[in-house]
């Protein structure tokens, strides 16, 4: 992208406008900008180059006669290597928010299990609207992020004695616990209240899943019971005691099997 | 037919005597003082609110109770609210009577556990107070009875925790409802040497005209099952008679469908419902003895505290709890002789 430097020439342009009579009055900022002109070169410079400590460009050292009378005709491996590649790397951004968030979610791993909307179209706007002088927000549900933001607010706004990071975090955390307790009690009471006033809730996902499973498990138990019986009878016929079998092997059928078989027959 | 204040009413085959007697609004000394002095109920209600929630609503409930009892020809002599509630809880046809008496009883119970206080103020909070985190330990009113304090500390952890639980339960109620502090009574042993053991305190909610005593609910599901069985027997008998009359080939399909439905209901090849399990295990030997009631319904705070005033009202309510009354209601505590920590 071309570096835009137009804005820095505003003083020159205004001077020209005044001289030409386009502007009648001098703007209020005119003298100030005149005495403290902005830098007009916005190009990002490499520091070594600025300081004059940059090594000569190896690409320009080709085909020049050296002191010993020889010519360097091609680049060495070292010349071709990209040096100082750290300047091309994206800087590692570090924020205290991330650290607080990390601590909070390590201490409260179950907070991750709460459903959360991951698509946030108006994220920036939402956070601008929030006022962290209190933890509950109109635009945002109570979660770990509330603790982070509230901690930061307490850090910079606690009066008259400023709080340390730990104190602020603990204060925010205890507020969070209190609000969570209240929220959970509220949902429990609401459910109880509406149940007692006649509400009927649909089956949960768990119950629905069990029902689906049962459709396949029920016939299987019948079949499995039969197969087990056959297997058991086969075993007992091969037992050491001979084909009659011992008393214990004969009376081996468990109450569970008979119960399942009875249930299976009646359902067919 | 009125004769010297005694009304003879014909109901069914037997003549039942019903005295021309009606309940009076009970007197609550703190409220009567407020009414006589035409002053506010300090720290909780304004004078007009006291009039509305007790002298008007109480009277309304009482009138309703007197009227419905007369309508159903019930004898009022020698009965009190508690007896009516206990007697009628499982009689849906007398729901009106039960409802009026339970509402009146809980209202009276609630107002009797309060006293005016000088620490809190009546104010109308604005909408932004909804977002404020409730203060944890900004309160002054605490129980003084050492047994009660010890009991609360052991069961709930601390007074702070108990207060949080009590007020959070009240905050959760959206409509008409009460939060109760109750002592759980467990009855053990046979009739000769029955033991009454109060080990636990607990916080529970009731809604609308609910009463706190779980023991009263005992046997509902079993009774319902019995009714269904009786109905099934009746239907079978009728089906038999019909088939004998019309010849064995014809069968009333509607009747058969109904019988099949009832049979299905009764002979479920499943575990019983939660209600059945509760009926058999939970309520059989349990009773809840109320110590404290807190009315969380909007009619109490809307007048003085406005639509955003529930939290403020509940904070003030805590300040107004008369712990001496609570301690008086407290049954003797059965302490465990050992505890495993």
């Amino acid at each position: 992208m071309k570096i835009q430097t137009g804005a820095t020439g505003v003083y020159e342009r205004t001077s020209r406008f005044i001289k030409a009579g386009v502007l009648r009055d001098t703007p209020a900022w005119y003298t100030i900008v005149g005495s403290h002109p902005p830098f007009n070169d916005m190009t990002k410079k490499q520091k070594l180059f600025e300081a004059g400590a940059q090594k000569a460009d190896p690409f320009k050292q080709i085909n020049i006669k050296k002191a010993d009378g020889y010519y360097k005709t091609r680049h060495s491996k070292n010349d071709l290597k990209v040096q100082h590649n750290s300047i091309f790397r994206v800087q590692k951004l570090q924020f205290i928010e991330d650290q607080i968030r990390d601590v909070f979610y390590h201490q409260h791993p179950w907070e991750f299990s709460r459903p959360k909307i991951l698509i946030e179209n108006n994220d920036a706007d939402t956070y601008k609207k929030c006022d962290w002088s209190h933890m509950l927000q109109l635009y945002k549900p109570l979660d770990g992020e509330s603790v982070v933001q509230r901690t930061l607010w307490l850090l910079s706004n606690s009066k008259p004695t400023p709080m340390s990071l730990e104190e602020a975090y603990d204060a925010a955390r205890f507020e969070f616990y209190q609000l969570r307790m209240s929220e959970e009690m509220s949902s429990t009471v609401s459910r109880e209240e509406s149940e007692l006033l006649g509400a009927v809730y649909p089956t949960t996902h768990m119950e629905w899943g069990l029902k689906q499973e049962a459709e396949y498990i029920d016939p299987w138990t019948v079949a499995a019971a039969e197969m087990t019986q056959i297997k058991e009878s086969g075993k007992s016929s091969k037992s050491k005691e001979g084909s009659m079998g011992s008393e214990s092997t004969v009376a081996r059928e468990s109450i569970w099997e008979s119960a399942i078989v009875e249930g299976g027959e009646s359902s067919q | 037919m009125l004769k010297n204040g005694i009304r003879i009413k014909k109901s069914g085959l037997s003549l039942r005597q019903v005295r021309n007697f009606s309940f009076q609004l009970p007197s609550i000394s703190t409220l009567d003082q407020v009414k006589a002095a035409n002053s506010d109920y300090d720290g909780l209600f304004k004078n007009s609110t006291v009039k509305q929630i007790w002298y008007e609503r109480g009277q309304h409930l009482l009138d309703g109770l007197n009227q419905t009892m007369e309508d159903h020809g019930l004898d009022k002599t020698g009965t009190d609210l508690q007896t009516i509630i206990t007697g009628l809880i499982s009689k849906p046809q007398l729901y009106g009577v039960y409802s009026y008496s339970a509402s009146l009883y809980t209202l009276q119970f609630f107002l009797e556990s309060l006293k005016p206080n000088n620490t809190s103020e009546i104010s109308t909070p604005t909408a932004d107070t909804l977002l404020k985190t409730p203060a944890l330990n900004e309160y002054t009113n605490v129980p003084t009875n050492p047994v009660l304090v010890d009991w609360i500390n052991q069961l709930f952890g601390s007074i702070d925790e108990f207060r949080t639980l009590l007020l959070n339960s009240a905050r959760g109620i959206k409509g008409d409802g009460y939060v109760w502090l109750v002592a759980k009574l467990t009855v053990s042993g046979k009739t000769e040497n029955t033991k009454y053991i109060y080990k636990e305190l607990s916080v529970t909610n009731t809604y609308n005209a609910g009463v706190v005593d779980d023991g009263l609910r005992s046997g509902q599901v079993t009774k319902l099952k019995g009714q269904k069985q009786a109905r099934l027997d009746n239907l079978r008998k009728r089906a038999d008679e019909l088939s004998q009359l019309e010849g064995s080939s014809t069968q009333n399909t509607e009747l058969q469908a109904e019988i099949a439905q009832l049979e299905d209901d009764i002979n479920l090849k499943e575990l019983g419902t939660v209600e059945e399990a509760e009926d058999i295990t939970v309520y059989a030997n349990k009773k809840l003895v109320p110590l404290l009631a807190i009315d969380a319904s909007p009619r109490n705070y809307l007048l003085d505290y406005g639509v955003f005033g529930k939290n403020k009202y509940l904070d003030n309510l805590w300040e107004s709890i008369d712990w001496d009354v609570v301690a008086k209601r407290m049954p003797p505590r059965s302490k465990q002789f050992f505890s495993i920590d």
Side-chain angles (χ1 to χ4, degrees):
Chain A
M1 197 181 83
K2 196 188 161 196
I3 292 162
Q4 305 292 322
T5 53
T8 57
V10 68
Y11 183 73
E12 284 80 3
R13 242 179 302 140
T14 315
S15 304
R16 254 179 272 130
F17 287 156
I18 292 168
K19 210 175 175 183
V22 179
L23 281 177
R24 272 187 209 158
D25 306 319
T26 48
W29 49 265
Y30 186 74
T31 47
I32 300 161
V33 176
S35 47
H36 304 282
F39 297 110
N40 53 11
D41 188 1
M42 307 297 269
T43 336
K44 204 175 180 183
K45 298 283 184 338
Q46 289 177 18
K47 283 291 161 194
L48 280 174
F49 187 74
E50 290 275 278
Q54 178 100 339
K55 278 183 196 166
D57 186 358
F59 285 78
K60 287 180 180 163
Q61 306 300 313
I62 296 284
N63 300 331
I64 293 170
K65 196 179 185 181
K66 289 200 284 187
D68 54 3
Y70 290 100
Y71 288 87
K72 188 176 183 181
T73 54
R74 50 187 162 170
H75 300 298
S76 69
K77 216 175 187 181
N78 210 27
D79 290 341
L80 291 170
K81 215 161 76 181
V82 177
Q83 289 173 347
H84 308 301
N85 55 5
S86 63
I87 59 164
F88 302 114
R89 229 177 271 148
V90 178
Q91 267 192 320
K92 188 168 172 58
L93 303 175
Q94 283 183 324
F95 295 105
I96 192 166
E97 284 94 322
D98 292 331
Q99 290 176 25
I100 301 172
R101 201 173 291 127
D102 196 50
V103 169
F104 179 83
Y105 281 108
H106 269 93
Q107 287 178 346
H108 309 85
W110 280 99
E111 281 299 311
F112 279 130
S113 73
R114 288 180 172 264
K116 186 181 162 96
I117 299 170
L118 293 175
I119 307 157
E120 294 180 6
N121 295 327
N122 52 355
D123 199 21
D125 291 346
T126 311
Y127 277 89
K128 264 183 221 162
K129 281 182 202 162
C130 291
D131 168 17
W132 293 105
S133 61
H134 42 77
M135 187 172 263
L136 273 186
Q137 299 298 327
L138 207 56
Y139 304 99
K140 184 185 169 308
L142 182 73
D143 57 10
E145 190 56 31
S146 309
V147 177
V148 175
Q149 297 299 333
R150 177 82 177 138
T151 307
L152 291 177
W153 189 91
L154 285 174
L155 258 185
S156 50
N157 291 289
S158 53
K159 283 169 195 168
T161 47
M163 282 180 171
S164 70
L165 177 60
E166 277 177 15
E167 281 168 352
Y169 174 68
D170 276 350
R173 200 159 56 95
F174 284 116
E175 273 180 37
F176 171 79
Y177 294 153
Q178 221 180 318
L179 292 168
R180 250 294 184 270
M181 273 194 283
S182 174
E183 196 183 83
E184 274 174 10
M185 182 53 94
S186 175
S187 62
T188 313
V189 168
S190 292
R191 197 185 162 100
E192 189 184 63
E193 190 174 3
S194 25
E195 264 173 12
L196 286 179
L197 299 179
V200 177
Y201 292 101
T203 50
T204 60
H205 290 307
M206 187 75 90
E207 285 166 347
W208 185 83
L210 284 173
K211 215 175 173 185
Q212 295 291 307
E213 266 180 11
E215 275 179 29
Y216 294 91
I217 292 176
D218 287 348
W220 176 82
T221 43
V222 179
E226 276 171 18
M227 282 167 75
T228 317
Q229 260 184 337
I230 293 163
K231 215 173 177 184
E232 291 285 303
S233 62
K235 259 186 201 165
S236 61
S237 67
K238 281 177 204 158
S239 64
K240 283 176 195 168
E241 285 87 2
S243 60
M244 296 298 285
S246 70
E247 256 179 67
S248 64
T249 35
V250 170
R252 199 182 246 178
E253 193 188 8
S254 84
I255 50 161
W256 299 109
E257 279 167 22
S258 61
I260 288 163
V261 172
E262 273 168 28
E265 278 169 357
S266 60
S267 68
Q268 277 162 8
Chain B
M1 192 166 114
L2 277 167
K3 201 187 271 178
N4 299 333
I6 297 169
R7 191 163 47 159
I8 313 289
K9 199 173 180 184
K10 215 173 180 182
S11 68
L13 290 170
S14 62
L15 279 171
R16 202 191 293 168
Q17 282 196 343
V18 180
R19 293 246 173 87
N20 196 8
F21 156 89
S22 59
F23 290 115
Q24 299 294 317
L25 196 65
S27 139
I28 300 174
S29 61
T30 46
L31 299 184
D32 289 344
Q33 281 165 22
V34 165
K35 194 189 181 189
N38 205 20
S39 61
D40 288 352
Y41 194 97
D42 284 333
L44 190 60
F45 294 127
K46 285 183 183 153
N47 184 269
S48 55
T49 314
V50 171
K51 271 185 192 155
Q52 193 155 342
I53 61 176
W54 177 242
Y55 292 103
E56 284 174 27
R57 182 161 181 266
Q59 190 61 48
H60 165 74
L61 292 174
L62 196 73
D63 291 346
L65 176 63
N66 283 328
Q67 188 58 48
T68 43
M69 282 187 87
E70 265 170 40
D71 291 349
H72 288 285
L74 294 169
D75 192 355
K76 289 176 205 158
T77 43
T79 56
D80 57 3
L81 290 178
Q82 192 72 61
T83 324
I84 297 173
I85 294 166
T86 321
L88 302 188
I89 195 161
S90 51
K91 290 186 178 139
Q93 66 274 25
L94 296 175
Y95 175 73
V97 185
Y98 160 78
S99 182
Y100 278 122
S101 50
S103 302
L104 192 62
Y105 172 77
T106 45
L107 183 62
Q108 187 190 350
F109 193 92
F110 158 64
L111 291 170
E112 276 174 353
S113 37
L114 301 179
K115 63 169 197 282
N117 76 82
N118 299 318
T119 46
S120 56
E121 281 175 9
I122 304 168
S123 61
T124 321
T126 49
D128 53 327
T129 51
L130 288 181
L131 296 173
K132 289 264 149 36
T133 309
L136 241 191
N137 37 25
E138 284 178 13
Y139 60 91
T140 53
N141 187 23
V142 285
T144 47
N145 185 309
V147 181
L148 182 62
V149 173
D150 187 45
W151 207 352
I152 287 177
N153 280 340
Q154 201 174 349
L155 267 297
F156 298 101
S158 64
I159 302 289
D160 273 355
E161 282 164 87
F162 165 63
R163 181 177 180 269
T164 309
L165 178 66
L166 192 81
L167 297 193
N168 274 347
S169 307
R171 270 183 208 113
I173 296 174
K174 306 293 184 296
D176 184 0
Y178 287 82
V179 186
W180 302 76
L181 170 68
V182 292
K184 275 189 197 168
L185 165 67
T186 313
V187 184
S188 73
K190 297 265 168 58
T191 38
E192 299 91 47
N193 46 6
T194 318
K195 280 183 193 162
Y196 297 98
I197 302 161
Y198 292 95
K199 260 190 216 159
E200 284 178 40
L201 290 179
S202 125
V203 170
T204 183
N205 284 5
T206 60
Y207 309 96
N208 288 352
V211 286
V212 85
D213 198 351
D214 275 339
L216 300 177
R217 279 170 60 184
S218 174
Q220 274 179 334
V221 176
T222 322
K223 209 179 283 171
L224 196 70
K225 228 175 176 177
Q227 283 172 356
K228 269 188 184 166
Q229 188 63 49
R231 198 169 139 70
L232 182 66
D233 293 345
N234 261 342
L235 284 175
R236 277 191 185 137
K237 210 173 160 191
R238 230 178 103 202
D240 280 351
E241 283 169 5
L242 275 177
S243 60
Q244 274 175 9
L245 276 174
E246 297 170 8
S248 55
S249 58
T250 53
Q251 277 192 339
N252 190 330
T253 47
E254 274 180 34
L255 208 61
Q256 290 303 326
E258 205 170 340
I259 288 172
Q261 176 68 39
L262 270 174
E263 275 174 345
D264 270 6
D265 278 359
I266 294 168
N267 308 320
L268 279 177
K269 283 193 193 66
E270 287 175 5
L271 287 174
T273 59
V274 178
E275 285 79 12
E276 280 169 340
E278 276 185 351
D279 193 46
I280 293 159
T281 57
V282 181
Y283 303 114
N285 60 350
K286 294 256 163 59
K287 196 169 154 35
L288 298 181
V289 178
L291 308 186
L292 169 70
I294 276 185
D295 190 349
S297 49
R299 82 174 87 80
N300 281 13
Y301 65 83
L302 278 179
L303 293 167
D304 291 340
Y305 299 87
V307 282
F308 306 117
K310 189 165 188 180
N311 290 349
K312 179 71 183 158
Y313 161 72
L314 290 174
D315 287 345
N316 287 3
L317 200 55
W318 173 271
E319 292 297 315
S320 293
I321 293 171
D322 192 346
W323 289 109
D324 294 339
V325 173
V326 179
K328 261 180 221 158
R329 288 170 182 161
M330 184 177 62
R333 181 185 178 189
S334 325
K335 261 198 170 176
Q336 277 175 314
F337 291 104
F338 60 92
S339 64
I340 303 160
D341 284 331

